[in-house]
Amino acid sequence: MRCPYCSTDNSRVVESRAGDDGNTIRRRRECTNPECARRFTTYERVEQRPLMVIKKDAKREEFSYEKLYRGVMKACEKRPIPAEKVEEVVAGIERSLHLEYEREVPSTVIGEKVMEALRELDGVAYVRFASVYREFRDVETLAQEVLSLLTESSDKGK
């Protein structure tokens, strides 16, 4: 495995363990270049048939774990949410998509799954994502969404 820091094409595995979802293996690696010797993490997962995402304009593109991860991370930016929790959320969404859809999935389904997961994880991250995903046109629509989140939150506390 190539080192992401010095590009040496050799590294050694220091530690391996199964991911939380049971479908990945997390490997801690160390660069064998003595001048670098830095550590990094890689993930190994079973290669699955590509899942195609049907966009709103009916175009299709291949599902991207990295794109989904970046979107969720952006919503969680500057929030007290560990990166591992974000990885769990994204892996869970990816797993459910592969279980529910064989070849193609509408982008709206992905957006709704992300919103559902973020709503459970963190209210601010949820509102951030929802404001972009739902394309709120005005402050009133955003306020309604926040109020529904507050109402739901207070109902849970009872």
Side-chain angles (χ1 to χ4, degrees):
M1 176 69 61
R2 184 177 307 274
C3 173
Y5 303 106
C6 71
S7 298
T8 297
D9 63 355
N10 200 5
S11 63
R12 68 182 189 90
V13 175
V14 178
E15 173 192 1
S16 287
R17 63 180 155 152
D20 293 333
D21 63 0
N23 293 322
T24 60
I25 296 176
R26 178 181 183 269
R27 298 192 194 282
R28 288 292 293 158
R29 295 178 175 271
E30 184 175 63
C31 180
T32 56
N33 177 353
E35 294 173 9
C36 177
R38 290 179 72 180
R39 290 186 174 197
F40 56 98
T41 303
T42 60
Y43 293 90
E44 180 180 318
R45 71 185 65 190
V46 173
E47 187 173 357
Q48 298 174 325
R49 270 193 231 151
L51 188 61
M52 299 304 289
V53 177
I54 306 167
K55 308 293 273 182
K56 290 178 184 176
D57 62 2
K59 289 183 182 173
R60 285 165 169 68
E61 70 178 47
E62 192 169 327
F63 172 80
S64 168
Y65 177 92
E66 289 75 23
K67 187 175 178 180
L68 179 60
Y69 179 80
R70 282 192 311 270
V72 174
M73 274 302 275
K74 190 71 173 167
C76 295
E77 203 170 66
K78 298 181 183 177
R79 298 296 302 150
I81 303 168
E84 293 81 23
K85 190 65 180 166
V86 173
E87 289 171 5
E88 283 177 30
V89 165
V90 174
I93 292 169
E94 180 186 35
R95 188 173 42 257
S96 74
L97 291 173
H98 280 287
L99 288 173
E100 295 173 36
Y101 297 88
E102 193 170 321
R103 293 264 185 205
E104 297 181 326
V105 58
S107 62
T108 54
V109 169
I110 298 170
E112 292 299 324
K113 284 185 179 290
V114 170
M115 288 199 336
E116 182 181 314
L118 288 177
R119 190 175 195 120
E120 294 292 318
L121 183 65
D122 183 81
V124 173
Y126 165 76
V127 171
R128 283 180 180 167
F129 187 85
S131 67
V132 173
Y133 176 71
R134 291 212 172 126
E135 300 173 346
F136 292 145
R137 300 277 185 236
D138 52 42
V139 177
E140 289 79 21
T141 311
L142 177 59
Q144 287 173 352
E145 192 64 37
V146 171
L147 283 174
S148 78
L149 187 61
L150 288 172
T151 303
E152 182 182 293
S153 174
S154 68
D155 289 346
K156 282 184 182 177
K158 293 179 180 179

